[in-house]
Amino acid sequence: MKKITCSLALLTIFSISLSCSSCSNDKDNPADPGTVTDPVETNDPNSSYTPAFAGQTRISGVKTNTSFQGVVITSALANPWGVKMLPDGRLLITEKAGQMRIVTTEGVVSNPITGLPAVNASGQGGLLGLCLDPDFASNKMIYWVFSESTTGGNNTAVAKGKLSADEKTIEGATVIYRAKPANPSNLHYGGRILFDKTGNLVVSTGERSVLETRPLAQSVASGLGKIIRLTKEGQPASGNPVFTGTGALPELYSIGHRNPQGLAIHPVTGEIWESEHGPRGGDEINRLKAGANFGWPTITYGIEYSGEKVGAGIQQQSGMEQPVYYWDPVVSPSGMTFYTGTRVPEWENNLFIGALSGMHIVRLAIENNKVVGEERLLASENQRFRDITQGSDGALYAVTDQGRLYKIDKK
Ligand SMILES: [Ca+2]
């Protein structure tokens, strides 16, 4: 009897030390992501393309076991596009038609903040993504992306300005960057912006959709279909990769993007992850690398809206990056954020992405830079989720094209 007790005790000690060693040396592999289910996508794909590696699409589903809820804070917004939390816990929100507003977590919506340059809100254009200066608490500087009418068409443009002391206006608004060339198309502006770990701005630009500009995603002499890295003054950031080719632009960070509407920094690795819209199929999540080519339109897991193949109809090519994950059919991934809160343990370091046509929030569990589980959150809300951010309170906040702001947190 005594011997059995002793063995059990030893076993217990052994299993404790095993579980500790398996988690303590791997901060990228957080807690149990939840209950494994069938893949969440049950519709047929548009193409018969083969993934480059197991788990690149239609990964197993995973269900959050912790009870959580999405609460509507307000429904009074008009096509909100970007949301970020201010240091005091209120939310700064852009609306597509050109307004910027401050919203409290009680749902009080401010009047539009004046002083922003005009946007061209036709098509997919408008006032798009935004970010706060790392020193916002002292300098009140805000940076945003918008579509700008100019000679020859429209640009994806970046501007900055200072929020006035009374919070009613943006002072000294200045356009600091334009992705050229301009084109009359009012589609595929990209439009997210964030500060990287070096204090420089990272901006996503689209290839403007039309067949005339689509190939420019592969041109190092064009700002279209790119990830751009800039100083706060809009100049090419130091340390940018050097692309070879005639007229290579010094502001480029990566090339070969279609319509990237999501950017987020991985909380453990510090790397920048990106989402972009494919055509029919071929929505992507990418892990950005300086100097890399992400393939559009040469390689893609999508097909044309007409049903034809895109270009030569290839999905993999040497010298071009594979997406970490892709969807076919599309979910239309837009703004995204990594979860570093603690109230829902399964979500630690997971990626949350607003899905437009998918009408849900995508949750991707990630281990060692691979997707290991997918969940669809708030699907019963029937909302086109445009952007999502984590507040300083550890909750997630998401905005929808229908005008809602949600708080998503443990019940
Ligand atoms: Ca790609």
Side-chain angles (χ1 to χ4, degrees), residues 41-56:
E41 183 58 75
T42 55
N43 292 310
D44 291 337
N46 291 287
S47 82
S48 54
Y49 297 154
T50 306
F53 53 87
Q56 194 182 20

Side-chain angles (χ1 to χ4, degrees), residues 231-269:
T231 67
K232 292 180 185 180
E233 287 70 46
Q235 296 303 304
S238 68
N240 273 354
V242 177
F243 285 90
T244 53
T246 307
L249 298 173
E251 67 265 33
L252 304 186
Y253 187 77
S254 62
I255 72 170
H257 300 284
R258 185 173 179 272
N259 188 21
Q261 287 197 356
L263 290 173
I265 294 186
H266 191 288
V268 176
T269 67

Side-chain angles (χ1 to χ4, degrees), residues 255-258 274 276 282-286 293-296 299-301 315 320-323:
I255 72 170
H257 300 284
R258 185 173 179 272
E274 173 251 24
E276 66 181 69
D283 283 351
E284 296 182 347
I285 297 294
N286 292 300
N293 183 343
F294 284 85
W296 177 258
I299 59 170
T300 176
Y301 289 92
Q315 291 74 55
M320 293 184 177
E321 301 298 321
Q322 280 295 310

Side-chain angles (χ1 to χ4, degrees), residues 20-36:
C20 282
S21 67
S22 65
C23 61
S24 65
N25 62 355
D26 196 356
K27 283 182 71 184
D28 198 23
N29 294 349
D32 176 6
T35 303
V36 177

Side-chain angles (χ1 to χ4, degrees), residues 17-231:
S17 66
L18 251 187
S19 59
C20 282
S21 67
S22 65
C23 61
S24 65
N25 62 355
D26 196 356
K27 283 182 71 184
D28 198 23
N29 294 349
D32 176 6
T35 303
V36 177
T37 70
D38 290 336
V40 296
E41 183 58 75
T42 55
N43 292 310
D44 291 337
N46 291 287
S47 82
S48 54
Y49 297 154
T50 306
F53 53 87
Q56 194 182 20
T57 189
R58 296 181 185 241
I59 196 74
S60 301
V62 64
K63 187 179 177 301
T64 303
N65 292 319
T66 301
S67 184
F68 68 93
Q69 61 185 356
V71 175
V72 178
I73 294 175
T74 179
S75 304
L77 299 165
N79 285 98
W81 216 94
V83 57
K84 285 284 179 285
M85 186 167 265
L86 294 164
D88 66 3
R90 294 175 300 159
L91 296 148
L92 186 64
I93 292 176
T94 57
E95 293 175 323
K96 185 178 181 295
Q99 283 76 41
M100 190 179 285
R101 301 176 192 269
I102 295 172
V103 182
T104 71
T105 50
E106 288 75 43
V108 179
V109 180
S110 79
N111 288 326
I113 297 167
T114 60
L116 283 81
V119 305
N120 178 355
S122 68
Q124 295 171 353
L127 184 58
L128 306 174
L130 79 165
C131 67
L132 305 182
D133 195 286
D135 297 322
F136 176 84
S138 56
N139 69 16
K140 306 292 180 194
M141 290 299 294
I142 298 165
Y143 303 76
W144 65 92
V145 186
F146 69 108
S147 55
E148 178 191 48
S149 288
T150 185
T151 310
N154 309 307
N155 287 319
T156 299
V158 180
K160 68 173 181 179
K162 181 179 180 179
L163 183 63
S164 64
D166 64 6
E167 300 180 335
K168 290 181 176 169
T169 191
I170 297 287
E171 298 170 347
T174 314
V175 178
I176 59 170
Y177 182 75
R178 295 175 171 93
K180 292 175 181 172
N183 186 276
S185 164
N186 60 17
L187 303 173
H188 295 194
Y189 287 101
R192 290 298 165 195
I193 184 167
L194 55 69
F195 274 94
D196 70 9
K197 300 286 187 188
T198 67
N200 289 293
L201 289 163
V202 174
V203 181
S204 63
T205 70
E207 41 72 294
R208 310 305 314 288
S209 173
V210 292
L211 291 178
E212 172 193 355
T213 53
R214 179 190 274 183
L216 295 181
Q218 286 292 320
S219 167
V220 295
S222 159
L224 308 192
K226 303 297 183 320
I227 304 298
I228 304 288
R229 186 164 166 270
L230 304 168
T231 67

Side-chain angles (χ1 to χ4, degrees), residues 323-336:
V324 170
Y325 196 66
Y326 74 83
W327 288 272
D328 179 15
V330 297
V331 298
S332 309
S334 191
M336 62 188 205

